[in-house]
C-alpha cells in the first residue's frame, strides 16, 4: 500500500488488519487489530492523528482527516460506508456512518447510532446513541430497534470475515480474457440488506 512517513511519523498497521494496496496512509495513522480499510481510502494523518480501533472498517474511497491537536477516531466495530468523509470527529463503538455521508469537526456519533447515507453531520453535532439521523443537516428520525442494532453488528462481522479472507487469499493478478467453464464461487457469509430482513 502507499504508506508515507511525514516528519518521521510512520503509520501503524496491526498485522491482523487488512489495508487494501490502493489505500493511502500518511503520517500519524493507527489501524488496529482486525480492521478493514478498503480500496482507494485516504487516511491523511498529516495534521492530526487518525485512529481505527479494533474491528473498525473503512470502506472504498473514504476520506479521513482532521485539524492539528485533534484525533479523528473510529471506535471498536465502527462501520464507515463507501465514500464517507470524516473530519476531526469521533465515531463511537458499533456505530455506522452510511455511504457518502459527511461527519465534520468535533461531531460525535454515539454508540450503536446510524448516520444515513448522504447525511451531513455538522461540526460539533452530538448524535445520541442508538438513534438514526438523516438529512442535511442531519436530524434525528427515531430511536433504533434491537433488530436494527443487531443487523448493523451482523454487517460489521461480515467485514471482520472479509478482513480474514483478504489476508488469506487476496493477490494481484491479470484478468482472464473469458470466464472459466466452472467458475469458483466466493465464500462470503450470508448477509441481507435491511429491507430484505424486513421482508423475511
Amino acid at each position: 500500500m502507499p504508506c508515507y512517513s511525514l516528519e518521521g511519523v510512520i503509520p501503524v498497521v496491526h498485522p491482523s488488519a487488512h489495508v487494501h494496496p490502493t489505500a493511502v496512509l500518511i503520517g500519524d495513522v493507527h489501524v488496529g487489530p482486525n480492521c478493514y480499510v478498503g480500496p482507494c481510502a485516504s487516511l491523511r494523518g498529516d495534521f492530526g492523528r487518525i485512529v481505527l480501533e479494533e474491528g473498525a472498517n473503512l470502506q472504498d474511497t473514504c476520506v479521513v482527516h482532521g485539524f492539528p491537536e485533534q484525533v479523528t477516531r473510529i471506535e471498536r466495530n465502527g462501520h464507515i460506508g463507501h465514500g464517507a468523509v470524516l473530519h476531526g470527529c469521533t465515531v463511537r463503538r458499533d456505530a455506522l456512518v452510511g455511504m457518502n455521508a459527511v461527519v465534520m469537526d468535533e461531531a460525535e456519533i454515539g454508540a450503536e447510532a446510524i448516520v444515513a447515507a448522504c447525511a451531513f453531520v455538522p461540526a460539533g453535532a452530538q448524535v445520541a446513541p442508538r438513534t438514526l439521523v438523516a438529512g442535511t443537516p442531519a436530524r434525528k428520525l427515531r430511536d433504533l430497534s434491537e433488530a436494527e442494532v443487531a443487523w448493523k453488528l451482523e454487517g460489521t462481522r461480515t467485514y471482520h470475515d472479509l478482513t480474514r479472507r483478504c489476508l488469506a487469499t487476496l493477490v494481484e493478478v491479470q484478468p482472464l480474457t473469458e470466464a472459466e467453464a466452472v467458475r469458483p464461487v466466493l465464500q462470503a457469509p450470508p448477509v441481507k440488506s435491511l429491507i430484505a430482513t424486513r421482508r423475511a
Side-chain angles (χ1 to χ4, degrees):
M1 83 200 81
C3 188
Y4 301 94
S5 167
L6 181 66
E7 298 171 346
V9 180
I10 301 171
V12 177
V13 177
H14 192 275
S16 65
H18 169 72
V19 178
H20 191 273
T22 61
V24 179
L25 279 59
I26 300 171
D28 199 2
V29 174
H30 299 254
V31 179
N34 305 311
C35 288
Y36 174 89
V37 177
C40 301
S42 174
L43 292 84
R44 278 183 48 210
D46 49 15
F47 290 163
R49 178 173 291 177
I50 296 168
V51 177
L52 276 65
E53 294 184 3
E54 182 174 4
N57 70 78
L58 185 74
Q59 298 172 21
D60 322 51
T61 72
C62 288
V63 175
V64 185
H65 194 237
F67 282 117
E69 300 182 9
Q70 284 186 339
V71 177
T72 304
R73 183 180 302 274
I74 305 168
E75 291 187 347
R76 181 176 53 83
N77 290 338
H79 191 113
I80 313 302
H82 316 288
V85 177
L86 306 181
H87 201 278
C89 59
T90 300
V91 177
R92 296 290 182 202
R93 63 167 185 81
D94 294 300
L96 182 152
V97 175
M99 293 180 262
N100 289 315
V102 175
V103 183
M104 292 300 295
D105 303 284
E106 298 182 40
E108 182 176 316
I109 309 305
E112 300 180 321
I114 294 178
V115 175
C118 298
F120 177 79
V121 179
Q126 301 289 306
V127 174
R130 287 191 162 216
T131 59
L132 171 65
V133 299
T136 304
R139 299 192 190 286
K140 179 180 174 179
L141 296 183
R142 58 181 171 76
D143 293 329
L144 293 170
S145 69
E146 290 293 332
E148 289 167 323
V149 171
W151 170 82
K152 182 272 165 195
L153 183 55
E154 180 184 359
T156 300
R157 286 178 178 148
T158 66
Y159 273 89
H160 296 166
D161 182 71
L162 181 58
T163 297
R164 291 187 291 272
R165 293 167 59 207
C166 288
L167 289 172
T169 68
L170 183 72
V171 293
E172 186 172 2
V173 296
Q174 291 297 315
L176 302 173
T177 56
E178 58 183 64
E180 310 94 315
V182 180
R183 190 158 176 84
V185 177
L186 292 170
Q187 300 302 306
V191 63
K192 296 180 181 177
S193 70
L194 190 55
I195 290 174
T197 62
R198 288 177 182 155
R199 288 187 192 128

